[in-house]
């Protein structure tokens, strides 16, 4: 029951959020200088040509009318046509979404593994040199932004020790038998481990670059929270039962300590999705972020609007998943 | 037969003042020993040292803790933990914080039996059910499946008591087990612990600042002041005529519920000065 109510409230707030985002993105990209018509026509085009093309795309209408037309379309699932490619925005965006989702989830998994390992090791050997080393590594990981980690990784694993592919999502010469755009998952399901390895090898560096700062945040917060939990009475009681330090951390402390971290991971994951914009560009990874940059450069207004709306939708869905997970992990909230 | 024997145990804050000054005491099998003293006298510290849960800020500087003849302090950590887990248990002070909020009650009672002592899960659960019945918890099956937040403080303390007796330990440390409870519940819990102790024949180290509690449940007691044992006697002798001036003052300071008009008697300054001088002499004797 509680879950259903949460879902209903969230559905409503999601709609409000998306409406707000729609208004902001629509008007902001029309206020900033530069317009798509200028990008499409060769230099020296006559005013008449400009006016004709503007009329063709409806750009001569008042802004409010344009907004009305766009919103009416969006409500019916029509996000308009991309100005540069002349293809429906929805098809373009949905075609790229799986690539970005796979990259983000891969990065999240890496961040949780790295951050979790750092926090657990730091807690197990707290007060010693190991914890100090982990704190230093965390600080470094946190103070360097993801795109710089991208460059560092390219230097390490692309140039000095070429282990992974630097650019793209998959080697172009490979035959892809896929019916969906979720290459990573579909290659696993089809048991095509050769393709899977190729895709992971392409994804490894951009995902790691995105994961490193998030791993540091997870590591720091989880370690802090674990250390506090380790002083609680129920942990002391478990020690008297004969459990060793590692068992006590994993069995008694981890689940309770993970709760505050989980909320933060949700918030940070949305930042990570934002980070894909630059990282995908850096690694020529064909995802939404890369497409967003192209759309902005070309002033492809409908495409920008579509991508931004989709990002906003992803953010709200991620937050909803975090809230649901929180309720599942915390028995005190389940019956509330 | 002595089960626990503490010999000249000294504990101090790391690079700080001593917390226990060459404490010696024995607990025979099946015997209940009270540890009394004011706050900071070190009574809880003794229980923590025995159970191997001294805080990291504290170190043992000397002495022996003989459990069934083996010095715990000389054992490798893993062996020490296993031995303590198999033969000793703790009844903690605050039932509201001593149960893990993320685990159901059942596994919190059976975990030691299954993980440390190698029982089957079915045997351990049956045992937990019997114990919950023994501590007078209605509907044990429901409680085994419940989370701590669904139960009252009194219920939780009963569960912790049941859990302490689960592995039939030889020794239980009860660390002020009634202090955090409602006055009305205190009496029941006290009776429950005393009854369980008598039935199971478990030795009990009962940490308390309440001499009234000591007179009800203990056979022997140690009075501590500033980490030193100032008196070690049988409860009958103590309440008849305490040997040490500080113990006598402590006994006189106990509020009399039968005579509220009598007011509160502080321990006189002269007694404090005398016992402080004694602690200093005790320290010099060690050097």
């Amino acid at each position: 029951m509680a879950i259903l109510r949460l879902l209903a409230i969230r559905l409503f707030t999601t709609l409000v959020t998306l409406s707000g985002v729609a208004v902001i993105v629509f008007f902001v990209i029309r206020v900033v200088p530069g317009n798509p018509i200028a990008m499409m026509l060769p230099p020296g085009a006559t005013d008449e040509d400009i006016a004709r093309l503007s009329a063709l795309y409806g750009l001569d209408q008042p802004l409010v009318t344009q907004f009305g037309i766009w919103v009416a379309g969006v409500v019916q699932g029509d996000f308009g046509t991309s100005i540069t490619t002349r293809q429906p925005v929805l098809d373009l965006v949905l075609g790229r979404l799986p690539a970005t989702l796979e990259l983000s989830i891969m990065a999240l998994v890496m961040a949780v593994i790295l951050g979790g390992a750092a926090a657990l090791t730091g807690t197990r050997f707290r007060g010693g040199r190991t914890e100090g080393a982990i704190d230093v590594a965390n600080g470094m990981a946190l103070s360097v932004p993801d795109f710089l980690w991208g460059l560092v990784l390219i230097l390490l694993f692309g140039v000095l020790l070429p282990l992974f592919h630097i650019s793209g999502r998959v080697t172009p010469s490979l035959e892809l038998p896929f019916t969906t755009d979720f290459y990573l998952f579909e290659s696993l399901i089809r048991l095509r481990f050769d393709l899977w390895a190729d895709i992971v090898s392409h994804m490894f560096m951009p995902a790691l670059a995105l994961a490193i700062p998030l791993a540091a945040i997870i590591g720091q917060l989880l370690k802090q929270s674990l250390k506090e939990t380790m002083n609680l009475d129920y942990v002391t009681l478990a020690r008297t039962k004969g459990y060793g330090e590692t068992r006590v951390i994993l069995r008694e402390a981890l689940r309770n300590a993970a709760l505050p971290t989980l909320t933060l991971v949700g918030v940070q994951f949305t930042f990570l999705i934002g980070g894909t914009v630059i990282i995908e560009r850096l690694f020529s990874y064909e995802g939404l972020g890369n497409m967003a940059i192209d759309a902005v450069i070309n002033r492809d207004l409908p495409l920008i609007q579509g991508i931004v709306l989709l990002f906003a939708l992803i953010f709200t869905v991620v937050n909803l998943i975090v809230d649901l997970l929180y309720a599942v992990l915390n028995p005190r909230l389940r019956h509330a | 037969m002595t089960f626990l024997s503490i010999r000249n145990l000294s504990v101090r804050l790391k690079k700080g003042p001593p917390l226990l000054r060459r404490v010696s005491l024995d607990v025979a099998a099946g015997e209940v020993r009270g540890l009394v003293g004011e706050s900071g006298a070190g009574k809880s510290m003794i229980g923590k040292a025995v159970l191997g849960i001294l805080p990291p800020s504290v170190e043992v500087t000397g002495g022996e803790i003989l459990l069934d003849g083996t010095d715990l302090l000389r054992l490798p950590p893993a062996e020490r933990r296993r031995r303590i887990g198999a033969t000793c248990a703790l009844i903690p002070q605050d039932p509201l914080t001593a149960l893990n909020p993320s685990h159901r009650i059942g596994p919190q009672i059976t975990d030691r039996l299954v993980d440390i002592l190698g029982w089957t899960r079915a045997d351990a659960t049956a045992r937990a059910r019997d114990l919950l019945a023994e501590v007078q918890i209605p509907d044990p099956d429901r409680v085994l499946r419940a989370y701590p937040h669904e139960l009252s403080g009194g219920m939780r303390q009963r569960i912790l008591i049941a859990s302490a007796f689960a592995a039939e330990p030889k020794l239980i440390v009860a660390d002020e087990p009634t202090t955090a409870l409602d006055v009305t519940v205190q009496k029941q819990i006290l009776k429950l612990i005393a009854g369980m102790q008598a039935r199971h024949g478990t030795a009990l180290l009962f940490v308390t600042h309440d001499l009234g509690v000591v007179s009800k449940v203990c056979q022997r007691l140690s009075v501590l002041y500033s980490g030193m044992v100032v008196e070690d006697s049988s409860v009958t002798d103590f309440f008849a005529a305490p040997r040490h001036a500080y113990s006598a003052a402590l006994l006189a300071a106990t509020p009399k519920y039968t005579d509220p008009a009598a007011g509160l008697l502080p321990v006189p300054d002269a007694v404090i000065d005398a016992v402080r001088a004694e602690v200093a002499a005790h320290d010099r004797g060690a050097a």
Side-chain angles (χ1 to χ4, degrees), chain A residues 60-110:
Chain A
D60 55 342
Q61 308 271 340
L63 272 188
V64 180
T65 317
Q66 287 185 38
F67 183 69
I69 294 169
W70 179 61
V71 168
V74 166
V75 170
Q76 296 166 41
D78 175 11
F79 287 74
T81 307
S82 157
I83 293 176
T84 35
T85 64
R86 312 260 153 82
Q87 285 174 297
V89 166
L90 193 63
D91 294 354
L92 286 173
V93 167
L94 289 184
R96 288 291 188 96
L97 176 65
T100 296
L101 280 184
E102 285 189 344
L103 180 64
S104 314
I105 291 169
M106 177 81 133
L108 180 68
V109 170
M110 283 177 164

Side-chain angles (χ1 to χ4, degrees), chain B residues 17-39:
Chain B
L19 299 171
L20 293 179
R21 301 163 198 262
R22 290 186 292 133
V23 165
S24 295
L25 59 86
D26 291 331
V27 182
E31 181 185 61
V32 184
R33 173 177 289 270
L35 289 179
V36 294
E38 29 188 300
S39 306

